[in-house]
Amino acid sequence: SECQLHNRDYQVYDASLKAELMDRFQLESQLMHALPNKELSLHYQPLFDVANEKLIGAEALLRWHNPLLGFVGPDQFIPVAEESGMMIEIGYFVLRSAIKQLASWQVSGNDDFFVAVNISPLQLADPILVDTIEALLETHNVKATSLEIEITENVFLGNQDGVLQVLRRIDALGIRIALDDFGTGYSSLSYIHRFPFSTVKIDRSFIANLETSSVNQHLVTAIISMANAFDLKVVAEGIEDKIQANFIENAGGHIYQGYHFGRPVNVDDFTRQYIL
Ligand code: C2E
Ligand code: MG
Ligand code: MG
Ligand code: MG
């Protein structure tokens, strides 16, 4: 009868909800030990100058390998880290690792090479963030200009004056600030103007179907000319083929990032492929 059907639907729904909660619980309880168990590491994805296709930097991307869960992507575990209070500590692990790595790569003679690090909006609310970054740079003898931080448009949802103050202090140190995933979130031209960004990163959803979507072609062209008008560098994320790269070059973009040029790889591979 209809009633039984309903009942069964409910059970299916209930079972999947329960599975989701279990997954989430397991993720959180495993993540709690990820740092002490040394399950977290950084991979680096190369960034190339559009003008000459030379390496100019890398984005640091967090990786988690857990013995029980296998590889878990940052899109899955970063929100869990944020909601359960682990993000600040994990964020310092990322900053410390990236700055140490920069120091060792710079010894190899790549003076202008920079590393971009993703920062969660929660980290910007941490009162010791800026002092800690400054101390890390000093300890490892790394120039502030070798570090870039990436924040997403989500920061505009929070306390904007607080965020602006922190970003101004970071900018004053000489660290560049990039607006990540541009075009996907809550943003406006007035923020780009008011906040001390030096770079915008066009989200890869706009790059993915450039060939077929004239809307995206217009959007990407408009973002690049807007950025050029504000004197911002433009990174195009997610470039997977030559056609997309050519489009970005012709539109006046500055930096390529994507599988077409190089995937994120571990430190040893990055060093072998790009530094040595
Ligand atoms: P994101 O900062 O926008 O990083 C770029 C993402 O695009 C990376 O995914 C990268 O692997 C992927 N990507 C790059 N080129 C291509 C391409 O050509 N094709 C495709 N399909 N993908 C490409 P990943 O490593 O899975 O990271 C996902 C997101 O997780 C990042 O997006 C960032 O928001 C977050 N994340 C990663 N590491 C950290 C971290 O250390 N701290 C914080 N707060 N967030 C992080
Ligand atoms: Mg990023
Ligand atoms: Mg991005
Ligand atoms: Mg993203």
Side-chain angles (χ1 to χ4, degrees):
S1 74
E2 213 179 273
C3 181
Q4 267 174 329
L5 244 175
H6 259 103
N7 220 340
R8 230 182 44 207
D9 283 353
Y10 176 75
Q11 280 173 6
V12 169
Y13 170 74
D14 188 46
S16 75
L17 183 70
K18 201 167 152 190
E20 204 179 297
L21 285 171
M22 284 295 291
D23 283 353
R24 166 66 204 237
F25 176 77
Q26 210 176 38
L27 214 64
E28 188 174 327
S29 56
Q30 291 300 312
L31 192 56
M32 271 169 41
H33 308 289
L35 265 180
N37 290 349
K38 300 195 189 313
E39 294 168 9
L40 295 174
S41 65
L42 290 182
H43 278 200
Y44 292 86
Q45 184 175 28
L47 304 170
F48 293 94
D49 192 337
V50 169
N52 51 22
E53 299 204 2
K54 287 203 168 126
L55 179 82
I56 51 167
E59 179 172 3
L61 293 160
L62 198 51
R63 295 292 177 261
W64 178 26
H65 184 257
N66 176 266
L68 206 69
L69 304 170
F71 286 99
V72 185
D75 280 332
Q76 261 185 290
F77 71 81
I78 296 275
V80 177
E82 288 176 333
E83 284 160 35
S84 57
M86 296 182 239
M87 192 60 229
I88 302 283
E89 206 189 335
I90 290 176
Y92 282 128
F93 165 81
V94 171
L95 280 162
R96 195 168 52 244
S97 310
I99 289 170
K100 275 188 185 170
Q101 194 55 57
L102 255 173
S104 99
W105 279 336
Q106 280 177 345
V107 169
S108 325
N110 295 260
D111 234 24
D112 294 330
F113 181 84
F114 69 93
V115 166
V117 169
N118 294 283
I119 299 277
S120 156
L122 288 179
Q123 292 175 266
L124 291 179
D126 174 10
I128 63 164
L129 176 76
V130 183
D131 289 340
T132 308
I133 294 177
E134 194 178 7
L136 281 169
L137 291 171
E138 215 171 277
T139 303
H140 297 285
N141 197 21
V142 169
K143 291 179 299 184
T145 50
S146 307
L147 184 67
E148 184 162 301
I149 66 158
E150 298 190 359
I151 58 175
T152 64
E153 294 161 300
N154 291 337
V155 295
F156 301 128
L157 294 169
N159 165 10
Q160 287 183 23
D161 289 335
V163 168
L164 182 56
Q165 277 185 30
V166 176
L167 293 185
R168 280 194 178 138
R169 287 183 60 205
I170 290 172
D171 178 56
L173 289 177
I175 297 167
R176 286 189 308 262
I177 305 166
L179 181 54
D180 202 355
D181 301 348
F182 183 73
T184 59
Y186 179 83
S187 194
S188 85
L189 288 181
S190 81
Y191 295 131
I192 292 189
H193 187 62
R194 267 180 57 217
F195 286 69
F197 296 117
S198 62
T199 306
V200 294
K201 302 191 72 175
I202 304 177
D203 191 71
R204 75 180 145 87
S205 59
F206 299 109
I207 308 294
N209 47 9
L210 261 184
E211 284 98 327
T212 53
S213 163
S214 69
V215 170
N216 281 2
Q217 290 170 13
H218 288 299
L219 271 170
V220 167
T221 305
I223 291 171
I224 292 174
S225 45
M226 178 276 304
N228 280 325
F230 284 119
D231 236 349
L232 297 164
K233 287 232 185 285
V234 180
V235 181
E237 289 187 328
I239 298 201
E240 295 188 350
D241 60 45
K242 185 85 186 130
I243 299 171
Q244 294 163 351
N246 287 341
F247 187 93
I248 293 302
E249 182 182 12
N250 292 330
H254 305 99
I255 297 167
Y256 294 131
Q257 178 176 7
Y259 293 173
H260 178 64
F261 292 99
R263 288 177 181 257
V265 291
N266 66 35
V267 168
D268 288 346
D269 288 344
F270 194 93
T271 306
R272 246 194 314 273
Q273 285 180 51
Y274 302 107
I275 306 283
L276 294 179

